[in-house]
Amino acid sequence: MTEAPQPAAPAIEAALSPVLRGPLPVRLIAWDGSAAGPPDGPTVHVRSPRALRRLLWSPGELGAAQAFVTEEVDVDGDLGAALDAGRAEVARRGLGRPNPVDLARTVVGLGRLAREHGAIGGPLPPPDSQAVLKGRRHSRERDRRAISHHYDVTSDFYRLILDPHMAYSCGWHESPEVTLEQAQAAKLERVCRKVGLQPGHRFLDVGCGWGSLTLWAAEHVGAQVTGVTISAEQRDYIEGEVRRRGLGDRVEVRLQDYREIRDDGFDAVASLEMGEHVGQANYPSYVDVLRRSVRPGGLVLIQQMSRRSRPGGGAFIESFIAPDMHMRPLGETIELIESGGLEVRGVEAMREHYVATVQGWRERFDANIEAIRELIGDEGVRVWQLYLVGGQQAFRDGRMGVDQIVARRPHEM
């Protein structure tokens, strides 16, 4: 006679105990109705043994994210509160990377449970929302596919989350009372002022996104602006706005890789939150493009995110949001900028401002969630919920930063 499978939740707790160094920090309810963990803790539902299979093949952040976006794992109540509670317990226990012996014991325990519940086997197909890119990392074709994964959804989707400027980068929040739109306008004005932009100046916007800075510099400053993007959806959106606003004599938007820029003599150059996407090996080439595009004596502004621990993008971000993303400590970025021939003139930290910016995006996301669901489906909604909540917490806790770096191209000696 075949023995009945053991209750899943206590077995999961027992399997995880070596790496958790103790009991579960959350209430866990498994697919078979069994429960384990503190009754007053955040409640996590493991709705399918498929979640175990994902964790066996992709231990850690990626497997957990895959299970969450496919609803094989769910959280009762506020997702952010559950993540905070889990992170606090990890810190209290002093947990870091598990040693190989403890990890092996956990894998064996989860594998045994998965086998009992018929979930053993090879890796499951990745969720539909996960990017699966092929080819050499940061080749031009792979970079186009990576950007397309995130941005070529539709401009209608981003209109439901972003402010009317369609600024998809950190705003400048002078006070808690300012709106998302006001904060983004303040950021755009600040960028133009920092690079000394004047009417008639030639201005290059590298990685122009949905055109917030490109259109602002043309409309509010009177600059002659060239915007560069590798997203066809973004190019088409900006061109529509140029026609609608009558800016055809001041704005050129190109579907062009930054490595293909050959123009020079621009009075000023800016690049907002694009440097994270060029990759570690290509960052010197990125700096070289910015340096040779601006005239001697001209200013370059780079707004860029940073990450001190485990540079990169993180398994979830790189798999579901921004494939091949790479963040590094701020000091290393400054060293790369200076090594590329630009003189750093100032750095302004904006980390706290990103917490407020993401809060504005979350509020718009929640207010428009049904319309968003129509565009990207249930799985896409869960990806963005995890992305926005997790990103906001990373900036709040100082695990990620963002800075505006102003640099100058020296005059030739």
Side-chain angles (χ1 to χ4, degrees):
M1 179 181 290
T2 303
E3 201 171 302
Q6 60 185 315
I12 292 173
E13 180 173 40
L16 293 177
S17 63
V19 296
L20 292 178
R21 297 181 195 165
L24 287 170
V26 299
R27 184 67 170 171
L28 189 146
I29 300 176
W31 60 89
D32 62 354
S34 62
D40 56 346
T43 300
V44 175
H45 296 268
V46 181
R47 301 195 184 280
S48 168
R50 289 165 60 92
L52 303 181
R53 191 163 157 190
R54 293 197 189 277
L55 288 169
L56 285 168
W57 284 99
S58 300
E61 182 180 325
L62 179 57
Q66 290 176 330
F68 177 80
V69 303
T70 55
E71 299 187 68
E72 295 158 4
V73 167
D74 206 357
V75 175
D76 277 354
D78 183 76
L79 175 61
L83 292 175
D84 275 341
R87 197 173 290 116
E89 189 62 19
V90 165
R92 189 186 70 80
R93 298 184 190 185
L95 300 180
R97 288 182 178 273
N99 66 59
V101 173
D102 287 342
L103 183 59
R105 290 170 62 196
T106 290
V107 168
V108 168
L110 292 178
R112 184 184 304 116
L113 181 63
R115 186 176 298 107
E116 288 180 7
H117 288 267
I120 204 70
L124 291 166
D128 292 340
S129 54
Q130 183 174 333
V132 181
L133 301 183
K134 297 180 181 179
R136 183 170 56 85
R137 183 177 284 243
H138 292 296
S139 65
R140 298 185 189 190
E141 182 54 37
R142 178 164 167 147
D143 276 356
R144 286 190 182 94
R145 290 198 298 270
I147 291 298
S148 177
H149 171 78
H150 192 50
Y151 293 105
D152 287 351
V153 183
T154 166
S155 60
D156 293 337
F157 167 72
Y158 284 93
R159 283 192 187 98
L160 294 170
I161 300 173
L162 306 181
D163 74 299
H165 299 293
M166 291 284 276
Y168 190 30
S169 57
C170 182
W172 184 263
H173 297 256
E174 286 284 359
S175 71
E177 290 74 33
V178 301
T179 65
L180 179 62
E181 182 177 1
Q182 290 168 335
Q184 293 294 6
K187 184 270 301 293
L188 298 171
E189 186 278 330
R190 200 175 188 85
V191 170
C192 293
R193 175 165 49 81
K194 283 186 174 183
V195 297
L197 202 60
Q198 299 292 325
H201 274 187
R202 293 178 63 227
F203 181 47
L204 176 63
D205 184 4
V206 181
C208 61
W210 298 103
S212 59
L213 179 59
T214 291
L215 296 167
W216 180 277
E219 195 167 29
H220 293 269
V221 181
Q224 298 289 324
V225 188
T226 300
V228 175
T229 178
I230 57 174
S231 165
E233 184 79 13
Q234 289 179 338
R235 187 271 317 273
D236 294 346
Y237 172 82
I238 299 168
E239 287 184 341
E241 286 298 298
V242 167
R243 290 190 296 270
R244 187 177 71 81
R245 303 184 195 192
L247 297 173
D249 60 335
R250 295 185 212 166
V251 175
E252 175 193 12
V253 58
R254 301 176 186 167
L255 189 64
Q256 183 179 46
D257 190 280
Y258 73 94
R259 289 162 285 199
E260 298 167 352
I261 297 172
R262 297 290 180 263
D263 315 48
D264 57 17
F266 286 95
D267 296 290
V269 175
S271 187
L272 304 188
E273 297 181 21
M274 180 191 154
E276 305 89 339
H277 301 282
V278 303
Q280 182 73 348
N282 285 351
Y283 203 84
S285 299
Y286 169 68
V287 174
D288 184 62
V289 168
L290 302 181
R291 182 197 60 80
R292 59 181 168 78
S293 296
V294 74
R295 61 173 174 77
L299 295 173
V300 174
L301 185 144
I302 300 169
Q303 182 170 309
Q304 189 166 311
M305 290 179 275
S306 63
R307 181 171 171 172
R308 288 193 57 79
S309 62
R310 291 185 294 167
F316 168 67
I317 292 288
E318 289 191 45
S319 298
F320 287 89
I321 302 296
D324 300 341
M325 186 180 194
H326 185 92
M327 293 177 281
R328 67 183 71 79
L330 170 63
E332 292 182 14
T333 293
I334 291 174
E335 172 61 29
L336 288 166
I337 292 170
E338 291 184 330
S339 296
L342 290 170
E343 176 191 16
V344 173
R345 305 287 292 192
V347 179
E348 187 165 35
M350 299 173 65
R351 178 179 63 80
E352 297 89 346
H353 296 262
Y354 229 147
V355 180
T357 297
V358 178
Q359 181 61 33
W361 292 342
R362 287 183 64 187
E363 289 170 2
R364 287 185 53 78
F365 184 93
D366 290 344
N368 295 308
I369 193 165
E370 292 311 318
I372 289 170
R373 199 184 308 278
E374 287 291 319
L375 290 172
I376 64 173
D378 291 338
E379 188 175 300
V381 165
R382 292 173 72 84
V383 167
W384 272 80
Q385 286 173 329
L386 188 57
Y387 171 47
L388 292 173
V389 170
Q392 186 179 34
Q393 291 182 343
F395 287 110
R396 180 201 64 192
D397 299 342
R399 288 177 282 116
M400 284 172 54
V402 63
D403 304 271
Q404 284 186 350
I405 305 165
V406 177
R408 175 179 173 271
R409 178 179 175 178
H411 288 281
E412 312 298 334
M413 300 297 292

